[in-house]
Amino acid sequence: QVQLVESGGGLVQAGGSLRLSCAASGNVGSIYAMGWARQAPGKQRELVATITRARGAIPNYADSVRGRFTISLDNAKNTVYLQMNSLKPEDTAVYYCNGDWTDGTFGGSYWGQGTQVTVSS
């Protein structure tokens, strides 16, 4: 099992910045990629950024956040970060950390409990 604990959410004005952190613990050796998703009220969960644990991995971003958000991974700390700049009111959502795992045969995703990000106009 893996536990994911997010932190760093809050209230910010449009144009501001926030940095989210997600620390993984437990059987972290099974995790090969980590990322962030968000869910706004009445909308489906949207994957916003992902990165693998491989050295030199190139992150992937949703079009809605590319150029404003940056995902990074500290493998030594088993922690993934999401730096969010130039925030917009439409970025308001609960942000969830996820970790994709595999044991070579089976796979799946772990999810954190979520952290609220609210961007005021």
Side-chain angles (χ1 to χ4, degrees), residues 61-83:
Y61 298 98
D63 290 342
S64 57
V65 306
R66 187 174 290 111
R68 300 187 297 120
F69 291 10
T70 302
I71 188 171
S72 60
L73 179 59
D74 186 333
N75 279 317
K77 296 182 179 180
N78 296 310
T79 299
V80 64
Y81 304 93
L82 186 67
Q83 178 65 44

Side-chain angles (χ1 to χ4, degrees), residues 45-97:
R45 188 171 295 191
E46 171 192 25
L47 194 61
V48 297
T50 61
I51 188 169
T52 70
R53 300 189 70 174
R55 181 177 296 182
I58 298 175
N60 290 303
Y61 298 98
D63 290 342
S64 57
V65 306
R66 187 174 290 111
R68 300 187 297 120
F69 291 10
T70 302
I71 188 171
S72 60
L73 179 59
D74 186 333
N75 279 317
K77 296 182 179 180
N78 296 310
T79 299
V80 64
Y81 304 93
L82 186 67
Q83 178 65 44
M84 305 184 293
N85 298 328
S86 302
L87 283 161
K88 305 175 181 179
E90 51 263 44
D91 293 318
T92 295
V94 177
Y95 283 71
Y96 298 91
C97 171

Side-chain angles (χ1 to χ4, degrees), residues 14-27:
S17 299
L18 280 175
R19 188 193 194 206
L20 306 183
S21 300
C22 172
S25 61
N27 187 22

